[in-house]
């Protein structure tokens, strides 16, 4: 009897101990807020999505044998575990995103950027795209978003819109731009600059006509005269340089720049194919080590300076962002480890 009583008491104590341990290691739900950054909530599912995506970047820093070890994520090396590195990367990414969300709200943007709202938006957008697809309509991009794809898409859009707002708040005078231009003039100096008179015609043009157009370019540079004589040929003037080669930086028109950049003033090149067209050109002017005038670069320079200042403000706010855990550090580590050991 005494023995049965003792066993009964021990069972009761075991139940209480288990309950006490369960309270100390409370399960965190996917929608539960695990931290706040810059006053913006981060739920478990969001944190795990960001932390899990750090897998490859961290693993690339170690040898294969180390990566394949059983306790890779929690094995210390030089005082820092791979888990710690992944959590720091997740922290940095989330700090930037939540700074964007905080500033977006301050600037009056209406985008809902919390994770739970984004999942609802994702479901709605995917449903809309499925309806368009089934009805035979047209939509752009992928058929359906994964949550990470949609998350990155929305935050990229928000960052762009926010940056444009911050840029407009930066008042840069012409005097300031002029000073920046003069201090960095080498950036606006091209190795080669050419003014070209271009004749572009359809591929089905006869060889005789192409040869005649090239011959006329040696004698004439008057656009009205050339246009009247050859109504099926597109004549235009174009300035290209090693800094600004129009659409010729890549693709079919790259050959136009390569040919033009090697020509001397007054020279006419033989016709050559560009995609479905033929081109011949006359070099009207050639300059080397040519500095683009301030008025030509002022607009791009102003946009560049405003963009730099906008990102400086974003980064400064990111550094100031307060991070407050709503769960214990041990729970956060367990959540991160669970994500890192899963397949993403």
């Amino acid at each position: 009897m005494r023995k049965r009583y003792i066993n009964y008491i021990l069972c009761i104590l075991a139940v209480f101990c288990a309950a006490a341990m369960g309270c100390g290691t409370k399960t965190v739900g996917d929608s539960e807020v695990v931290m706040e950054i810059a006053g913006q909530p981060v739920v478990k599912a969001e944190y795990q999505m960001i932390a899990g995506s750090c897998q490859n970047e961290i693993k690339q820093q170690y040898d294969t044998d180390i990566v394949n070890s059983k306790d890779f994520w929690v094995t210390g090396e030089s005082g820092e575990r791979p888990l710690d590195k992944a959590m720091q990367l997740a922290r940095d990414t989330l700090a930037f995103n939540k700074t964007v969300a905080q500033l977006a709200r301050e600037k009056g943007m209406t985008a809902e950027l919390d994770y739970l709202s984004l999942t609802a938006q994702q479901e709605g957008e995917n449903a809309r795209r499925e309806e368009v697809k089934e009805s035979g309509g047209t939509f752009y991009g992928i058929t359906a978003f994964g949550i990470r794809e949609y998350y990155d898409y929305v935050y990229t859009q928000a960052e762009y819109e926010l940056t444009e707002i911050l840029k407009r708040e930066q008042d840069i005078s012409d005097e300031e731009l002029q000073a920046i231009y003069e201090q960095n003039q080498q950036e606006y100096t091209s190795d080669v600059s050419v003014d070209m008179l271009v004749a572009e015609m359809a591929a089905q043009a006869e060889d005789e006509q192409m040869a005649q157009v090239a011959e006329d370019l040696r004698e004439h540079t008057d656009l009205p005269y050339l246009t009247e004589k050859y109504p099926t040929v597109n004549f235009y003037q174009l300035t290209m340089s090693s800094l600004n080669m129009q659409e010729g930086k890549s693709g079919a028109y790259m050959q136009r720049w390569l040919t033009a950049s090697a020509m001397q003033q007054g020279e006419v090149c033989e016709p050559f194919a560009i995609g479905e067209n033929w081109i011949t050109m006359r070099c009207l002017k050639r300059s080397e080590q040519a500095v683009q005038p301030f008025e030509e670069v002022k607009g791009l320079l102003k946009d560049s300076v405003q963009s730099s200042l906008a990102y400086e403000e974003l980064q400064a706010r990111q550094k100031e962002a307060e991070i407050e855990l709503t769960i214990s550090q041990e729970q956060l580590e367990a959540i991160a480890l669970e994500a890192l050991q899963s397949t993403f």
Side-chain angles (χ1 to χ4, degrees), residues 4 21 29 81 93 100 159 170 232 244 279 311-312 324:
R4 266 194 311 184
M21 289 176 66
R81 301 173 299 172
T93 299
V100 168
E159 180 185 340
Q170 307 297 332
T232 61
N244 179 18
I279 278 182
Y311 273 103
E312 283 179 14
E324 182 179 348

Side-chain angles (χ1 to χ4, degrees), residues 156-223:
T156 298
Q157 287 294 111
E159 180 185 340
Y160 171 77
E161 292 175 23
L162 176 61
T163 302
E164 290 300 306
I165 292 173
L166 296 176
K167 282 166 61 176
R168 290 194 292 270
E169 294 177 352
Q170 307 297 332
D171 187 20
I172 312 296
S173 68
D174 285 357
E175 290 75 16
E176 291 174 298
L177 290 175
Q178 181 78 49
I180 295 171
Y181 167 79
E182 291 176 357
Q183 291 169 7
N184 300 276
Q185 207 166 82
Q186 187 57 40
E187 295 183 19
Y188 309 105
T189 302
S190 58
D191 297 329
V192 176
S193 177
V194 285
D195 293 343
M196 307 300 296
L197 175 56
V198 183
E200 188 165 355
M201 62 204 88
Q204 59 266 31
E206 297 180 359
D207 292 346
E208 183 178 343
Q209 183 190 35
M210 290 187 288
Q212 185 59 51
V213 170
E215 187 61 35
D216 268 357
L217 284 181
R218 292 186 173 88
E219 302 295 329
H220 303 281
T221 59
D222 183 53
L223 281 176

Side-chain angles (χ1 to χ4, degrees), residues 26 39 50-51 71 116 153 174 182 209 214 297 300 307:
K26 175 179 173 291
I50 300 298
D71 298 322
L116 298 181
Y153 166 75
D174 285 357
E182 291 176 357
Q209 183 190 35
V297 303
L300 289 175
S307 294

Side-chain angles (χ1 to χ4, degrees), residues 294-326:
F294 171 69
E295 289 300 323
E296 289 184 9
V297 303
K298 184 172 72 173
L300 289 175
L301 179 58
K302 183 175 183 178
D303 185 77
S304 176
V305 172
Q306 289 177 318
S307 294
S308 295
L309 292 173
Y311 273 103
E312 283 179 14
E313 182 174 349
L314 258 176
Q315 290 167 353
R317 289 291 292 267
Q318 179 185 355
K319 290 179 180 178
E320 296 171 359
E322 294 184 1
I323 301 177
E324 182 179 348
L325 294 184
T326 56

